[in-house]
Amino acid sequence: SANWELFLRKNKRSNGYDQEANSSLEKESHQIRFSLNYQATPQWRLGWKLVSTGVRSTEIERGAGLAQDVVFTSKSEKWRINFRWLQFHTDGFDSRLSFYEPDVLGALAFPFFQGNGHRTAVVLRYLLNKDVRIEGKWGHTQYYGAESVGNGNTLSIGPYRNEIKLQLNFSW
C-alpha cells in the first residue's frame, strides 16, 4: 500500500509598520514551502521539497531550491540509508534558503544556502546489535562560479565545502 503526505506553507513578513507615515518599513519578504512525501513500500520512502523566497527592499531578490530525498530501510531495520540531493539558486543573502537536512542522532542540520549550487548528503545508519549503533554522514556542497566558500576560520579555497561525521552510539 502506498502513502502520500502533502504540506504547503506560505509566509509573509515585514520589518514593521510606521504608523505616522502609514507605510511599511524597509523590507518585506515572502516564502512558500511545498513538501510531498511518498512511502512506496515499507522499505522505500521518497520526498520532494520546494522552497521559494522573495524579498523586496531597495532591490528585489528571489530564491528557489528543490530537494529530493530517497530513504531505504532494510527489512530487518539494521540498515538505513538516507540520500539527499538539493539544487539552489538565490539572488543574494536576503533571499537565502534554509532546508532541514537529515543528520546523525542528536545533531540538528538546518543549513542556509545562497548563490547558485547544489548539495548532496548521505546519512548511513547500521545497528550492530540492540545496544550499539554506528552512524555516519557525508555532505558535499558546490557553489557554481565561486572562488572560495565561507570566511574567517571557515574559509575553503575553491567552490566546494565537504563535511564528514561519524558517530558510535552505545545504550544500556
Side-chain angles (χ1 to χ4, degrees):
S1 116
N3 296 316
W4 290 89
E5 178 182 85
L6 176 67
F7 175 77
L8 177 65
R9 182 176 75 194
K10 183 175 191 273
N11 237 358
K12 180 180 177 182
R13 284 181 267 166
S14 64
N15 280 358
Y17 190 77
D18 184 347
Q19 291 181 342
E20 291 180 22
N22 197 23
S23 65
S24 294
L25 295 176
E26 299 170 19
K27 192 185 305 180
E28 185 177 281
S29 65
H30 302 268
Q31 185 179 80
I32 297 173
R33 289 187 173 271
F34 175 80
S35 178
L36 178 65
N37 293 307
Y38 174 62
Q39 187 75 44
T41 70
Q43 286 77 41
W44 289 96
R45 181 172 52 86
L46 304 173
W48 299 268
K49 290 158 186 58
L50 176 66
V51 176
S52 174
T53 61
V55 178
R56 182 176 36 166
S57 59
T58 56
E59 296 180 8
I60 294 176
E61 285 189 16
R62 291 185 176 89
L66 175 66
Q68 178 160 10
D69 292 309
V70 177
V71 181
F72 173 76
T73 305
S74 67
K75 285 187 179 184
S76 66
E77 296 187 0
K78 286 190 114 177
W79 283 96
R80 184 177 74 207
I81 300 171
N82 190 325
F83 174 79
R84 155 72 60 93
W85 173 83
L86 167 68
Q87 184 76 35
F88 58 91
H89 172 84
T90 70
D91 293 335
F93 180 78
D94 286 339
S95 59
R96 67 194 179 277
L97 305 169
S98 64
F99 283 84
Y100 165 77
E101 183 174 276
D103 210 328
V104 296
L105 182 68
L108 179 64
F110 220 98
F112 287 88
F113 302 97
Q114 75 179 63
N116 302 310
H118 71 268
R119 177 161 174 84
T120 305
V122 179
V123 179
L124 177 63
R125 181 193 77 187
Y126 179 69
L127 299 173
L128 241 53
N129 57 45
K130 68 180 188 88
D131 297 324
V132 181
R133 172 178 37 217
I134 300 171
E135 292 183 278
K137 177 181 180 178
W138 170 76
H140 172 81
T141 307
Q142 179 177 354
Y143 293 89
Y144 306 143
E147 294 180 13
S148 63
V149 178
N151 56 32
N153 291 334
T154 64
L155 180 66
S156 300
I157 303 303
Y160 307 103
R161 163 99 13 119
N162 290 294
E163 108 182 85
I164 296 174
K165 293 181 182 180
L166 186 59
Q167 182 170 292
L168 183 60
N169 296 311
F170 296 97
S171 59
W172 57 90

